[in-house]
Amino acid sequence: MAAEPSGSVPARRRRAAGLSAICLLVLAGCGLDPGPGGTAPAPGSAPAAAAAPVTAPSAMSTGHGTVATTKVPLYWVGTAGGEQRLFREFRDAAEGPTAVDPIAAAAALLTTSAPEDPDHRTYWSPVDQVGSSTSPGGTITVDLPSEAFRSRLGEDEARLALQQLAHTVTATASTAGLLPQSSEPEVVVLVDGRAREEVFGSVRLDRPLRPDEDLEAPLWLLDPRTGSHPDGAVTLSGRALEGVGECRWTVTDEDGATVSSGTLPTVPRGDGTVGFRTELELSPGTYQVAVTGRTAEDEPAHDASTVEVAPR
């Protein structure tokens, strides 16, 4: 079995730090004790105390306070430049099952929610109980019921599904301040409390997962999100990897006619990405808002949302 790709460690550190600055997840407490399940088991050995699956009220208690979350980052599968890549959305934690910590909440929400963009998808099946723990060294243990892996996937799809989870829980842990700055986060996945299980019918969990940054889409449109928006100013914002150039936005109507377009000024964010933001004035109607660019390898990059602007 091929080894799980580890990605670029320096890039991963930079992007984890940058993500902390933009996510709308607030840690209202003075810290998080890993507790008795806080040290992840070594791959290949049974855990001394598996992360206990829990179902909890909407406030996520840490033992030292309450983690109040409004948004968590979820990663979905889409197509970019003809390749399968990961796209991020921020979603309300309250939309899905809740848990005693933000990592478990994000993992549960990854299985129960659906991407807002109809061009994106997920390989996970819904579950309502997830356990998690974090070690002082930055190892995150996630315990999922076997039902989460119900889909039968080929090896490539299974590894992409596991990368959905790895990106989601490490990004959430970073934004919640649960990872040491110098750590190289990795994820140990348990199935019903058991290590080294085969999942999706094709991949054995015989080593920790690390987020592979090369699987991230080079260009993300974060706003406007697919759905209804009030008449007037619509915010367009997103992020691109450093090296993506010629970034532009285009708005087309239901007939495919261009309503407006322009160049997107980008601002370096110090984490290996650049951000962009502009305001659009749209009258009532249905539109496709798209952003495009070209990667350093001269490959096209694209993302889009379909929005309905309703009268006030």
Side-chain angles (χ1 to χ4, degrees):
M1 192 69 67
E4 186 69 20
S6 62
S8 168
V9 171
R12 191 163 58 245
R13 289 177 182 166
R14 293 196 305 270
R15 293 181 196 171
L19 189 60
S20 299
I22 64 169
C23 184
L24 302 178
L25 186 150
V26 180
L27 184 62
C30 59
L32 193 66
D33 188 345
T39 300
S45 63
V54 291
T55 302
S58 58
M60 292 183 279
S61 171
T62 68
H64 294 287
T66 299
V67 175
T69 73
T70 57
K71 302 287 185 181
V72 292
L74 303 183
Y75 286 75
W76 309 111
V77 179
T79 303
E83 302 288 341
Q84 301 305 297
R85 293 290 183 262
L86 298 178
F87 292 80
R88 187 182 69 210
E89 291 179 356
F90 286 107
R91 302 292 289 273
D92 289 327
E95 290 181 18
T98 54
V100 296
D101 64 80
I103 296 173
L109 190 57
L110 182 67
T111 73
T112 58
S113 61
E116 292 182 335
D117 190 322
D119 294 328
H120 299 163
R121 61 191 180 281
T122 184
Y123 292 122
W124 292 89
S125 298
V127 297
D128 60 6
Q129 292 184 327
V130 176
S132 73
S133 61
T134 306
S135 77
T139 296
I140 301 166
T141 300
V142 180
D143 189 359
L144 290 154
S146 58
E147 289 81 4
F149 307 92
R150 190 178 302 122
S151 299
R152 304 291 290 184
L153 304 176
E155 184 176 335
D156 290 344
E157 289 180 331
R159 293 193 181 282
L160 195 57
L162 292 171
Q163 283 293 319
Q164 279 186 266
L165 179 66
H167 276 74
T168 293
V169 299
T170 55
T172 299
S174 176
T175 60
L178 304 182
L179 294 175
Q181 278 194 330
S182 59
S183 68
E184 299 174 9
E186 59 183 17
V187 182
V188 173
V189 181
L190 306 180
V191 182
D192 291 324
R194 300 186 300 272
R196 298 182 60 85
E197 291 293 287
E198 184 177 279
V199 295
F200 299 118
S202 57
V203 171
R204 185 166 297 281
L205 297 168
D206 54 2
R207 67 194 68 197
L209 307 173
R210 288 185 177 177
D212 183 356
E213 306 296 348
D214 290 338
L215 290 177
E216 292 185 3
L219 186 64
W220 287 335
L221 179 62
L222 298 178
D223 286 305
R225 291 158 57 161
T226 295
S228 181
H229 297 262
D231 186 12
V234 175
T235 299
L236 184 155
S237 68
R239 81 91 174 100
L241 298 181
E242 285 183 349
V244 174
E246 302 178 26
C247 293
R248 294 185 57 82
W249 56 269
T250 304
V251 179
T252 54
D253 62 18
E254 290 183 281
D255 297 323
T258 299
V259 174
S260 59
S261 63
T263 300
L264 281 169
T266 56
V267 178
R269 300 190 337 200
D271 62 348
T273 68
V274 297
F276 53 81
R277 181 185 180 91
T278 191
E279 298 291 329
L280 307 175
E281 289 288 338
L282 297 177
S283 58
T286 301
Y287 304 92
Q288 184 181 70
V289 180
V291 290
T292 59
R294 299 199 72 82
T295 68
E297 294 76 27
D298 202 31
E299 295 290 336
H302 173 270
D303 199 11
S305 295
T306 299
V307 300
E308 298 176 5
V309 178
R312 290 186 182 275

